[in-house]
Amino acid sequence: MASQPELTGVWCPSLTPFDQDNKLDIDALGRHFARLNASGIDTLLLMGSIGEFASLTQQERLMLIREARQLSPLTMVANISSTCVPDMLQLAEAAWQNGYDAVMVLPPYYYGQTQKQLLSYFKALDKQLGGKWFAYNFPARTGCDLTPALVAELAAELPQFIGIKDTMDCLSHNRALIEETQKVRPDFTVLSGYDEYLLPNLLAGGAGVISGLNNIVPELFAEAMHAWRAGELAQLAQIQQRIGKLMAIYTIGDDFVTTIKTAVARKYDSMSSHSRNYGGELTVEQCAELDRLLM
């Protein structure tokens, strides 16, 4: 077992580009990855929430796992979450065959889960995944919380369970996850799923952030991690303030995925703004507001 947390630092949960015919656009993904590869970030997460995994067919997900790994030398993790365990295991096997460093899994969603059910689920899944995995805590979407006590119990028992993405807008929850897991696993990785929680996560002893804004300004987050590792706290404070202002991007429009895609399309012209989520297209006024934030 490792003595230090694995896969720390700044992760980008990559967008999934689609063309005007609503098909996967692998060429656009290659252009997007080329920019991310050169930005200084640490890890790419494929098919996260911002990557629209819930809108992809199983065959599309398998194709993305295969094609995306060839486009980047960075550490890469595949989100294999599904309500169908056999589908998840097929995706996990594809990830191992293509050289992924770990996979990520949400708890079961749609049906409400008790803490007892969650323990049973993750212990059973661990026996079948065949490699290292992260849990993905997103109570606003799943209807259940992976509590610090539950995560610590799993971490103590399952060596292949190496970390968690905590997408909960609550600093004390993130801090408690760090504290409880450190008691049983000093090598356990706790990452915040909220961009502006990078510095609070690090100060609490966490491992970093998985940030949607990394699709737009990855260099800023890479610079933040460099400043943290170098002990340059004054610079880090300035970067944190910039990140805080950029959080307003998430309030523009009706669908944050379309908004982030629109920002990337306008700033870099590397992909279309098309999303499989309906009704999220930005108005002229909203695009102007987005441009102002990115100046």
Side-chain angles (χ1 to χ4, degrees):
M1 186 178 295
S3 60
Q4 296 294 322
E6 299 183 61
L7 280 61
T8 61
V10 171
W11 292 32
C12 177
S14 178
L15 296 164
T16 300
F18 301 109
D19 63 24
Q20 296 304 316
D21 295 321
N22 211 24
K23 301 294 179 64
L24 291 174
D25 190 341
I26 301 301
D27 289 339
L29 185 66
R31 292 190 293 272
H32 188 51
F33 275 15
R35 186 168 54 84
L36 296 174
N37 293 342
S39 68
I41 64 169
D42 300 289
T43 297
L44 287 172
L45 174 63
L46 190 69
M47 301 183 299
S49 297
I50 203 167
E52 300 179 74
F53 78 93
S55 301
L56 300 171
T57 68
Q58 183 75 351
Q59 290 308 308
E60 286 175 326
R61 296 182 77 178
L62 289 167
M63 184 175 77
L64 267 176
I65 286 173
R66 182 179 66 252
E67 298 292 336
R69 179 66 279 187
Q70 302 175 53
L71 300 174
S72 176
L74 295 177
T75 299
M76 196 175 292
V77 177
N79 173 34
I80 60 168
S81 301
S82 172
T83 55
C84 178
V85 171
D87 284 354
M88 293 173 65
L89 298 180
Q90 185 183 30
L91 293 169
E93 180 59 28
W96 308 139
Q97 290 177 355
N98 285 278
Y100 283 70
D101 298 273
V103 297
M104 181 174 285
V105 292
L106 284 162
Y109 46 97
Y110 185 78
Y111 295 105
Q113 300 288 300
T114 65
Q115 296 297 292
K116 177 183 176 183
Q117 287 177 295
L118 291 170
L119 282 170
S120 177
Y121 174 77
F122 282 118
K123 288 179 182 180
L125 194 61
D126 177 80
K127 295 176 182 178
Q128 303 174 77
L129 283 176
K132 296 176 181 179
W133 60 279
F134 283 78
Y136 184 2
N137 189 38
F138 201 170
R141 295 290 185 267
T142 63
C144 60
D145 178 33
L146 304 184
T147 66
L150 180 144
V151 174
E153 181 175 343
L154 290 172
E157 184 176 333
L158 308 175
Q160 296 279 61
F161 176 33
I162 63 170
I164 186 168
K165 175 185 180 183
D166 187 33
T167 305
M168 191 167 181
D169 197 3
C170 178
L171 284 174
S172 61
H173 189 278
N174 199 244
R175 173 187 50 76
L177 274 174
I178 295 165
E179 292 175 352
E180 291 304 308
T181 55
Q182 286 299 301
K183 292 175 184 177
V184 297
R185 281 274 299 279
D187 66 325
F188 193 79
T189 300
V190 178
L191 297 153
S192 175
Y194 276 89
D195 314 59
E196 62 185 326
Y197 286 0
L198 171 59
L199 181 54
N201 173 277
L202 293 171
L203 289 170
V209 71
I210 302 179
S211 156
L213 291 177
N214 270 308
N215 287 282
I216 311 170
V217 288
E219 296 84 1
L220 183 66
F221 285 84
E223 186 181 355
M225 274 311 301
H226 177 78
W228 169 259
R229 290 164 177 157
E232 298 171 354
L233 298 185
Q235 181 187 11
L236 186 58
Q238 293 179 348
I239 296 171
Q240 180 70 18
Q241 291 172 13
R242 174 62 176 154
I243 292 171
K245 292 179 180 178
L246 289 172
M247 290 298 292
I249 288 173
Y250 288 106
T251 68
I252 299 173
D254 296 281
D255 170 50
F256 78 95
V257 176
T258 303
T259 299
I260 298 292
K261 281 188 166 181
T262 301
V264 172
R266 293 178 71 82
K267 190 172 178 65
Y268 302 105
D269 194 28
S270 57
M271 67 175 68
S272 79
S273 61
H274 183 68
S275 165
R276 286 184 176 173
N277 297 333
Y278 291 89
E281 298 83 0
L282 299 188
T283 65
V284 172
E285 291 77 16
Q286 289 169 332
C287 286
E289 183 180 357
L290 191 60
D291 292 343
R292 284 193 294 272
L293 282 170
L294 293 174
M295 288 178 61

